[in-house]
Structures are given as structure tokens and as C-alpha cells.
Amino acid sequence: STRAARPSRVHADVQPSTADPALESYRSGVRVCGTVTLVVGVLWLCGVLLFATVGTLGGFGILNPHDSQADRMAGVAGSAMVGLFCLAAGIVNVAAGAGMRRMAPWGRGAGIAAGILNILGGCGCLVGLGIGIWTLVVLLDARANVAFATTE
């Protein structure tokens, strides 16, 4: 059976142009940023495994058997808090990366949230801080309204 082509949804105040080479170049840059955001998301999720392992081993006294019970529980609580932040940042970054690569309208908002989380968390290093700033610069560009205006 043949299906009629679905028309693109366009915001009423924005008229995108697919023939504009500068806009296509910008979209390509957003997709690259989305790929990097996906990779950062996977790294955040690996951080969850790391902090879960450290928290568990520390709680059982395997890492430092001379710690008191209170010290071990404080370490477990700290590891759990950092692990939860890593989990949230990982989920947001993976979703944002997927949305940015697809140029989905919600991808811009998710990407901004991911950029802010990467700045706050820094992904454990200055690289995460730089990626967060880069993501915000890309997504807060004036061309973003037009680039994210249609869905395909």
C-alpha cells in the first residue's frame, strides 16, 4: 500500500529553508555536538557503575578495613549521591544526544539541560566543562529556532 507523505510540522512564526547551505552546516554542527553529548552520556552512566562499586566495597569495609562503621556509611551515602547525579546526567545526555542528532524539537531543550548538567558536574574534568559550554553555545545560537523548527 502507498502512504501519503507526512508534511513537516512547522512553527507558525518560523519558516525554515532547507536550501540554505549555512543552515545545513549549522545542523551538521548540531549533529556532531549531539554525538559528543551521547558519548558523554555513556561516560556518565559508567560513573554510576564506578560509584556503585566503590560505595559497596567501602560499605563492606573492603577498601579500608580500619574505617569505623560511621565512616563507612558516610562513604556509602556520598557514593550514592554522586551516583544518582551521574545517573541523571547520563540519562539526560543520552536523550539530548539522540534528540540533537535527529534535530527533534525537544532535542534543543534536552541539550540545554545536558549542557548545564555537564557544566555543574564537569564530567569529572575540565573536558566536561568545555563540552557543556560548547553545547550551550551551539544550542543558544540564533539559527537554532529555524534549525529545530521542522521534524522529518
Side-chain angles (χ1 to χ4, degrees), residues 16-126:
S17 170
T18 57
D20 184 8
L23 183 60
E24 289 306 312
S25 175
Y26 173 76
R27 284 183 173 144
S28 176
V30 169
R31 287 184 181 101
V32 168
C33 187
T35 301
V36 171
T37 302
L38 273 169
V39 170
V40 169
V42 170
L43 291 175
W44 276 115
L45 294 174
C46 289
V48 173
L49 297 174
L50 171 73
F51 283 101
T53 302
V54 168
T56 302
L57 294 176
F60 286 126
I62 295 171
L63 294 180
N64 190 354
H66 304 293
D67 281 346
S68 69
Q69 185 67 24
D71 288 341
R72 284 190 239 159
M73 289 303 107
V76 169
S79 291
M81 289 173 30
V82 174
L84 288 174
F85 179 82
C86 289
L87 180 64
I91 291 170
V92 170
N93 272 275
V94 168
M100 290 164 59
R101 288 187 48 76
R102 290 182 43 219
M103 296 302 297
W106 56 267
R108 182 178 183 211
I112 291 170
I116 291 170
L117 283 173
N118 289 334
I119 289 171
L120 292 176
C123 198
C125 61
L126 292 177

